């Protein structure tokens, strides 16, 4: 069993979906964990598919992770803002100590073709998925290099290498994240710091359910969101949907000493699917 006792980790987008699954797995492996997500009240007219937890979720997440016996920090985090990102990292280090592990899981998407795509929506998706990962990495990488040990795991997507209709900003952001992953891996290689991207196909999360609902609404073919999700399951060679815990298991391994030779890679978890 992977032992991360004494290590401290930050997981962005850590209140739900893959982020929460990874934070939980890290805590179970003995790591102290700081989780941040964009906390906001429900807003009418929101066009992206991201899940935005309310303030009441902070204590629920903190308690769930603390049950595993390690130190926990949970708070609002907007990775689109450098000041707030740096502040979150400083708070996390105050509670947990120096950060050894960073998992960039914060992300969003929206069903929107290039035609009619607003600058605002494009910038929100790219700023969250790509530039947000750059900001968090910039905040923790110098310390990792100085201490001679670090693990950075970016949650990508098959969208990094395969296009998907009506998702240009998402696909562009994940392709860019792969480029960032490779550059960070090279910068940290001589200093005991690795950087890897995990690229899943569809994973059964709240973000996926919201995204599928947008597809159904956009295409208007008289089928429900659950029917479309079932199509995706049947279309996968394994006949199923990937689960957040599968992504978490790989992430925890990549954060261990056993994975020190694995860096600069884009590891896909697809069940054999191309997307």
């Amino acid at each position: 069993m992977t032992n991360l006792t004494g290590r401290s980790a930050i997981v962005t987008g850590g209140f739900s979906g893959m982020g929460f699954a990874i934070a939980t797995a890290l805590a179970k492996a003995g790591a102290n964990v700081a989780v941040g997500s964009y906390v906001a009240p429900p807003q009418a007219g929101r066009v992206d598919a991201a899940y935005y937890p309310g303030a009441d979720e902070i204590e629920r997440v903190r308690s769930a992770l603390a049950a595993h016996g390690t130190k926990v920090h949970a708070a609002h985090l907007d990775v689109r803002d450098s000041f707030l990102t740096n502040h979150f990292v400083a708070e996390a280090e105050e509670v947990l100590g120096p950060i050894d592990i960073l998992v960039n899981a914060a992300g969003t998407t929206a069903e929107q073709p290039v035609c009619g795509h607003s600058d605002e929506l494009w910038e929100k998706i790219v700023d969250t998925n790509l530039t947000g990962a750059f900001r968090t990495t910039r905040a923790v990488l110098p310390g990792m290099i100085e201490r001679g040990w670090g693990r950075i795991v970016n949650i990508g997507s098959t969208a990094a290498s395969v296009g998907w209709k009506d998702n240009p900003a998402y696909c562009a952001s994940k392709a860019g994240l792969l480029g960032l992953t490779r550059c960070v891996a090279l910068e940290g290689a001589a200093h005991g710091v690795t950087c890897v991207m995990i690229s899943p196909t569809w994973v059964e999360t709240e973000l996926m359910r919201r995204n599928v609902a947008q597809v159904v609404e956009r295409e208007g073919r008289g089928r429900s969101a659950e029917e479309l999700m079932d199509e995706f399951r049947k279309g996968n060679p394994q006949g199923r949907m990937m689960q957040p815990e599968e992504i978490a298991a790989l992430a925890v391994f990549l954060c261990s000493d056993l994975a020190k030779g694995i860096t600069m890679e884009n590891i896909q978890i697809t069940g054999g699917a191309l997307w």
Side-chain angles (χ1 to χ4, degrees):
M1 186 174 180
T2 303
N3 188 344
L4 296 176
T5 300
R7 298 296 185 189
S8 294
I10 286 176
V11 181
T12 71
F15 281 29
S16 64
M18 286 183 279
F20 181 70
I22 292 169
T24 300
L26 288 168
K28 286 181 178 178
N32 304 313
V33 183
V35 289
S37 282
Y38 190 93
V39 175
Q43 296 179 10
R46 183 178 284 149
V47 294
D48 66 324
Y51 168 69
Y52 295 99
D56 59 323
E57 290 285 281
I58 295 176
E59 188 53 43
R60 180 192 66 79
V61 170
R62 181 186 292 118
S63 297
L65 295 176
H68 301 291
T70 61
K71 296 178 182 177
V72 175
H73 175 65
H76 168 73
L77 170 61
D78 185 357
V79 296
R80 298 172 299 164
D81 185 304
S82 291
F83 175 81
L84 291 178
T85 298
N86 292 337
H87 180 68
F88 178 88
V89 171
E91 284 188 330
E93 291 184 327
E94 190 173 322
V95 175
L96 311 181
I99 301 303
D100 306 298
I101 296 165
L102 169 65
V103 179
N104 286 306
T108 189
T109 189
E111 286 294 306
Q112 177 61 56
V114 171
C115 295
H117 206 304
S118 69
D119 286 358
E120 181 182 13
L121 181 58
W122 176 276
E123 289 163 3
K124 181 175 187 178
I125 295 170
V126 174
D127 204 12
T128 301
N129 298 357
L130 173 57
T131 314
F134 161 75
R135 291 188 181 98
T136 53
T137 300
R138 181 178 60 186
V140 303
L141 183 59
M144 291 178 176
I145 288 175
E146 182 180 352
R147 293 185 298 275
W149 198 96
R151 298 289 184 268
I152 298 173
V153 177
N154 294 323
I155 303 303
S157 167
T158 48
S161 54
V162 180
W164 184 254
K165 180 186 175 184
D166 295 342
N167 282 270
Y170 184 76
C171 292
S173 70
K174 295 303 185 179
L177 186 60
L178 178 54
L180 176 64
T181 298
R182 289 168 172 161
C183 290
V184 173
L186 290 172
E187 189 167 345
H191 308 282
V193 180
T194 68
C195 186
V196 181
M197 187 160 93
I198 299 175
S199 289
T201 181
W202 290 106
V203 179
E204 196 165 0
T205 64
E206 181 63 24
L207 174 62
M208 183 202 170
R209 285 187 283 271
R210 289 168 179 261
N211 190 198
V212 167
Q214 286 190 336
V215 174
V216 169
E217 182 180 357
R218 188 171 192 84
E219 294 185 353
R221 296 180 182 175
R223 56 183 173 178
S224 68
E226 185 52 44
E227 287 172 333
L228 182 54
M229 287 185 67
D230 196 48
E231 285 184 25
F232 290 147
R233 292 185 188 99
K234 292 175 180 177
N236 187 285
Q238 291 188 342
R240 68 184 186 91
M241 198 80 71
M242 304 300 111
Q243 297 300 308
E245 292 74 18
E246 296 176 77
I247 315 306
L250 176 57
V252 170
F253 172 74
L254 292 172
C255 292
S256 73
D257 285 327
L258 295 172
K260 61 185 177 182
I262 304 174
T263 193
M264 205 175 168
E265 296 293 338
N266 178 31
I267 304 175
Q268 296 191 341
I269 300 180
T270 67
L274 295 177
W275 169 268

